[in-house]
Amino acid sequence: MSKRIALVTGGSKGIGRELCLRLKDDGYQVYSASRSKSLPQGMDGITQISIDFSNSLETRAFAEKFLEQNGIPEVLINNAGYGVFYEWSEFPYEEITRQIQVLFSSPVELCRIFAPAMAEESRGVIVNLSSLATLYPLPFMPLYNAGKAALSSFSQSLILEYQHTLAIIDIRMGDVCTDFNNTASKQKHDSPIMRRSWLQIDRQLKSSISPGEAAKQIYTSIKLGKSGTFFGGGWFHSKFLPNLYRILPLCLLSRLILQWYK
């Protein structure tokens, strides 16, 4: 019997790496797609595909070639992403296009290629990793917030369309202790208010759950095989904040966010 195929974008580190390892241990033939040329130690048995998801044509060609060479994946996880921390007046023009492409357009293009093929077999799971930032936006990261919110909304639409043939999962993940902050593009000459906000974001990240725990939560939703929106992270992010969003008026939530990030 041929192995089940799993494709994870951004699978060379952080949450993506942990998901690749879990899928491999569960018997999947795992492919990691990211900008990395090779995988780090400890990822034996996983195939690395080097691709730049900021390039639309390259993304589309990759998906079509993957189908032709490897077949239809049973699991697709759109996990690749990165942050850009700038005042809007200083936000680099090239990062506007790049953020939208990596965080939203590339997952959409992959879903356009893979979802119909998976639905024809009436099996499979697509996981789109969005963020709690869809409800609680991060300061000075407007395109990250917008890209994740758009991906979440896109997932809701696919859930309606593929309710009988394919599981579409929207994971609104809270903070996870990865190197996200270390790899984010940052404004060099920041202001005091930016500095205070960044310190708070950094504290949140360092005190949050591990990538392994986040991957465990995501994998639990995959094993359920049902479409839906799931909140991930520690108790504060996965339980308290989503419920708070349901009961507080938006004006109060905005004040809380301003006070939280000082």
Side-chain angles (χ1 to χ4, degrees):
M1 177 178 280
S2 61
K3 281 192 173 183
R4 298 168 294 168
I5 297 171
L7 173 60
V8 182
T9 71
S12 61
K13 58 185 178 180
I15 299 173
R17 177 183 184 276
E18 296 298 325
L19 284 166
C20 283
L21 294 173
R22 283 186 172 272
L23 287 160
K24 186 193 77 169
D25 290 344
D26 202 15
Y28 283 88
Q29 182 177 340
V30 183
Y31 295 84
S32 166
S34 67
R35 294 186 67 182
S36 300
K37 299 296 183 183
S38 60
L39 292 171
Q41 291 184 345
M43 297 188 72
D44 298 336
I46 296 169
T47 302
Q48 170 65 14
I49 303 174
S50 181
I51 174 176
D52 182 4
F53 284 115
S54 68
N55 186 311
S56 178
L57 294 178
E58 187 176 337
T59 298
R60 202 171 308 152
F62 154 75
E64 292 170 348
K65 185 177 179 181
F66 187 94
L67 269 182
E68 180 183 341
Q69 294 185 343
N70 304 296
I72 301 170
E74 187 170 314
V75 175
L76 167 64
I77 302 178
N78 286 309
N79 164 73
Y82 73 104
V84 178
F85 188 80
Y86 277 80
E87 292 175 295
W88 184 243
S89 61
E90 301 294 326
F91 206 93
Y93 279 101
E94 64 273 14
E95 285 291 6
I96 295 175
T97 302
R98 188 166 181 257
Q99 282 259 280
I100 293 171
Q101 178 64 38
V102 173
L103 297 172
F104 178 64
S105 298
S106 279
V108 167
E109 288 166 356
L110 294 181
C111 286
R112 177 62 184 85
I113 300 296
F114 291 118
M118 296 166 77
E120 280 187 11
E121 296 193 347
S122 296
R123 68 187 182 97
V125 179
I126 294 178
V127 178
N128 289 327
L129 200 66
S130 61
S131 171
L132 190 61
T134 60
L135 305 183
Y136 295 91
L138 296 163
F140 303 107
M141 297 182 70
L143 267 298
Y144 180 84
N145 301 326
K148 291 298 188 180
L151 182 60
S152 182
S153 181
F154 171 72
S155 299
Q156 305 307 311
S157 182
L158 290 192
I159 287 172
L160 297 175
E161 185 170 347
Y162 288 103
Q163 58 181 309
H164 299 301
T165 55
L166 182 63
I168 307 290
I169 299 174
D170 172 26
I171 300 286
R172 296 180 181 179
M173 184 60 65
D175 290 329
V176 180
C177 190
T178 66
D179 63 350
F180 179 86
N181 283 5
N182 296 329
T183 58
S185 174
K186 289 178 62 181
Q187 185 172 318
K188 291 182 179 179
H189 304 291
D190 57 0
S191 62
I193 190 172
M194 286 186 73
R195 214 164 298 130
R196 290 195 299 270
S197 296
W198 182 259
L199 287 174
Q200 180 58 38
I201 292 171
D202 204 44
R203 280 193 292 266
Q204 290 173 199
L205 206 69
K206 290 176 179 177
S207 63
S208 57
I209 65 171
S210 69
E213 180 58 32
K216 180 181 178 181
Q217 293 177 359
I218 295 168
Y219 203 61
T220 297
S221 70
I222 292 174
K223 297 295 284 185
L224 290 175
K226 295 181 179 180
S227 295
T229 298
F230 299 86
F231 289 91
W235 176 84
F236 185 71
H237 289 141
S238 63
K239 305 295 182 186
F240 179 78
L241 287 180
N243 286 320
L244 185 67
Y245 186 86
R246 295 185 183 103
I247 60 175
L248 282 188
L250 288 177
C251 59
L252 289 181
L253 287 170
S254 296
R255 289 183 186 178
L256 285 175
I257 293 171
L258 286 170
Q259 291 178 3
W260 180 258
Y261 291 106
K262 303 176 175 54

